[in-house]
Amino acid sequence: MNATSTPFSLRYAWARGLFERGDHLAAASALADLVAEAETIAADEAQPLLHSTTDLRMFLARAYFHSAQFGRAEAVLRDLIDESPTDGYAHLLLGRTLQRAGRHTEAAGPLALAEILGDYERPQAFGSSGE
């Protein structure tokens, strides 16, 4: 798709479709372009954004996570958490990202925060009664 002639909303729908079909790598690439474009527009005072880029960047982090681009997912998520430290889902996704990257000790902090913020329930050990 040609970014200069295709409306932003159509390119976003395209990226969303890629994600939903499981092509997370292509979705991440398309979303990264959209985030860069949206942030450029936000920096240009002549064209103010109607909405923040938070949801778009969260979607990008999810695409990075699902395509095993853990360093990129972590960077996006850390920025989102810096902006909104009470976003439990961002903490949860950061914890899961760190787990999948094999950084289990580091994952404990974001997962604990996600649990405190109500967006995560710690799994019970196999065979436990849950009490």
Side-chain angles (χ1 to χ4, degrees):
M1 290 195 156
N2 184 348
T4 58
S5 65
T6 305
F8 189 93
S9 60
L10 186 59
R11 289 182 284 131
Y12 176 72
W14 172 259
R16 205 168 173 82
L18 291 168
F19 186 91
E20 290 169 1
R21 284 191 304 276
D23 192 349
H24 300 114
L25 190 59
S29 178
L31 288 163
D33 291 344
L34 292 172
V35 167
E37 180 181 338
E39 289 176 344
T40 299
I41 291 169
D44 181 7
E45 294 178 23
Q47 283 187 304
L49 270 182
L50 298 176
H51 302 286
S52 75
T53 61
T54 301
D55 290 338
L56 188 58
R57 290 182 296 141
M58 181 60 78
F59 197 28
L60 173 60
R62 290 177 58 211
Y64 282 149
F65 173 82
H66 286 291
S67 62
Q69 297 180 66
F70 304 127
R72 289 179 176 174
E74 179 183 358
V76 172
L77 290 163
R78 289 201 187 274
D79 286 345
L80 288 169
I81 289 169
D82 284 346
E83 292 171 17
S84 182
T86 60
D87 185 339
Y89 183 71
H91 287 284
L92 173 61
L93 190 54
L94 176 59
R96 293 289 191 218
T97 297
L98 294 170
Q99 282 179 327
R100 285 194 61 202
R103 297 162 55 193
H104 299 281
T105 303
E106 291 176 67
L111 291 175
L113 283 169
E115 185 173 17
I116 289 167
L117 294 168
D119 284 319
Y120 174 66
E121 187 173 319
R122 189 175 309 216
Q124 296 296 316
F126 179 75
S128 72
S129 63
E131 296 176 352

